[in-house]
Amino acid sequence: MHPFTYLRAREPQEALALAEEDRGTEFLAGGTDMLQLLKDNVRKPDRLVDIGRLKGLDTIEPSASGLRLGALAKMGAVADHPAVRDGYPVIAQALLASASPQLRNMATIGGNLLQRTRCPYFRDTATPCGKRDPGAACSAIDGENRLHAILGGSDRCVATHASDLAVALVALDAIVVVQNARGERRVPLDEFYLLPGDTPERENALERGELIVAVEVQATARRSLYWKMRDRASFEFAVASAAVALDIDGGVIRQARIALGGVGTKPWRAHEAERSLTGARPQRDAFEAAASQAVAGARPLAQNAFKIKLAQEVVVRALATLGA
């Protein structure tokens, strides 16, 4: 493990100041992903600033206009909160599908959104990886790529995004509230995550010295669902998943929201699929047409072409369950 200095911040401004003064500073919250990356020498900070006890960032605040989740709120607490279970079941279901109870009681909302890919080449420092070492080749393109992305990949990276929660939040047009030394800025989560392109090492819109402080959801989503397919029933990352929400009135779909997980280099919002459902009746033929739109433009690799059909089936099942 690379040696580092450990510091504990008492308030957000102190954490931001510490990050600003040393380019080699990283933040530590629940640590469920960071500690493993440190042990594997994937991340090598010069200084680790513990933000896990910052006051005021662990709140869960439902209101008439939506939901605000503090970045340090624990995944388990959010999944169990009555306002989340009743008003945003897609969020609760995504969290419950994400990890074991022990991990959910440690991991934070902000940390979950910033977790790194589970691509084995990224986590094995003996193999080339452009996400880990800028400019290096992507070992997965001609290697073991069954679990890699079919949407949003590039010649530099085809690693899938790991977060179930992010898929649910992207479907709900969630906003990330980011704090820096000058104040706060708000970024739509769908825009927060970046496609790999030629710079796969840059995964999100965070700048140096910035910190996620909250996530806000304004869309109501009582009729919503997260459907996840994985290789085993116990704790496992998605092979393909879908977060869907439907507004049905008078037997007609007034609005649909669809995002895919396990198949994209970022949580994949399916806008064309949503538009195809607007005004349609909640029937299987409409769901199948939307599912086809959801994977339009897919570029499968040698071992993962099956994900095209699997992703479509996941979307159809999720929509059919909601529309029943």
Side-chain angles (χ1 to χ4, degrees):
M1 183 186 293
H2 179 76
F4 57 85
T5 301
Y6 171 85
L7 299 170
R8 177 176 289 167
R10 292 163 295 184
E11 57 184 29
Q13 287 300 333
E14 181 183 7
L16 294 170
L18 289 170
E20 186 67 29
E21 71 183 27
D22 189 328
R23 189 175 292 272
T25 298
E26 295 196 42
F27 295 128
L28 172 71
T32 55
D33 188 31
M34 172 65 82
L35 293 180
Q36 188 60 53
L37 293 171
L38 292 173
K39 290 177 183 178
D40 293 340
N41 283 318
V42 175
R43 300 183 85 155
K44 301 177 181 180
D46 296 324
R47 189 161 61 173
L48 203 59
V49 176
D50 189 337
I51 61 171
R53 298 186 184 182
L54 296 184
K55 294 181 179 179
L57 298 189
D58 62 349
T59 57
I60 304 168
E61 302 176 27
S63 68
S65 60
L67 179 70
R68 181 181 170 100
L69 304 174
L72 295 182
K74 296 296 194 291
M75 291 170 57
V78 175
D80 291 340
H81 197 285
V84 178
R85 290 200 315 264
D86 297 339
Y88 305 86
V90 67
I91 294 177
Q93 292 162 9
L95 287 168
L96 293 173
S98 294
S100 66
Q102 295 91 336
L103 286 174
R104 293 198 299 270
N105 288 335
M106 284 293 298
T108 64
I109 294 300
N112 182 276
L113 296 181
L114 292 176
Q115 68 180 294
R116 307 302 297 276
T117 179
R118 261 55 188 184
C119 172
Y121 296 109
F122 169 75
R123 291 177 179 255
D124 179 2
T125 57
T127 59
C129 171
K131 186 178 285 294
R132 189 183 64 246
D133 299 313
C138 175
S139 296
I141 290 178
D142 295 317
E144 293 291 328
N145 51 42
R146 174 179 175 272
L147 297 178
H148 285 71
I150 59 174
L151 294 164
S154 72
D155 293 338
R156 295 291 185 90
C157 182
V158 288
T160 53
H161 192 272
S163 173
D164 294 295
L165 172 63
V167 179
L169 291 174
V170 163
L172 300 181
D173 291 322
I175 300 291
V176 177
V177 183
V178 175
Q179 187 170 342
N180 55 41
R182 298 174 299 281
E184 288 186 354
R185 65 187 183 101
R186 299 157 60 83
V187 185
L189 187 59
D190 194 27
E191 298 175 14
F192 178 78
Y193 293 117
L194 308 178
L195 293 173
D198 292 329
T199 55
E201 71 278 6
R202 187 152 190 258
E203 298 176 344
N204 57 62
L206 274 182
E207 302 291 347
R208 184 168 70 90
E210 289 191 323
L211 181 67
I212 294 178
V213 295
V215 177
E216 295 179 345
V217 184
Q218 294 185 345
T220 56
R222 287 185 175 85
R223 197 184 190 112
S224 61
L225 178 72
Y226 187 71
W227 195 289
K228 179 177 180 178
M229 296 293 289
R230 44 193 167 184
D231 283 334
R232 58 181 183 178
S234 59
F235 168 47
E236 185 60 276
F237 294 93
V239 179
S241 66
V244 301
L246 291 177
D247 178 7
I248 301 175
D249 184 30
V252 173
I253 299 171
R254 303 301 180 188
Q255 185 182 57
R257 298 171 179 272
I258 304 171
L260 303 181
V263 294
T265 54
K266 57 180 268 185
W268 201 259
R269 185 71 180 268
H271 291 290
E272 289 300 322
E274 295 172 352
R275 283 190 277 270
S276 76
L277 287 172
T278 303
R281 293 195 173 277
Q283 297 173 344
R284 188 173 182 89
D285 57 347
F287 297 152
E288 289 178 346
S292 180
Q293 287 279 2
V295 294
R299 295 173 55 192
L301 302 164
Q303 300 167 11
N304 68 2
F306 74 94
K307 281 195 173 188
I308 297 177
K309 182 65 175 176
L310 181 63
Q312 291 181 70
E313 183 61 25
V314 169
V315 172
V316 170
R317 288 190 185 187
L319 291 171
T321 301
L322 275 188

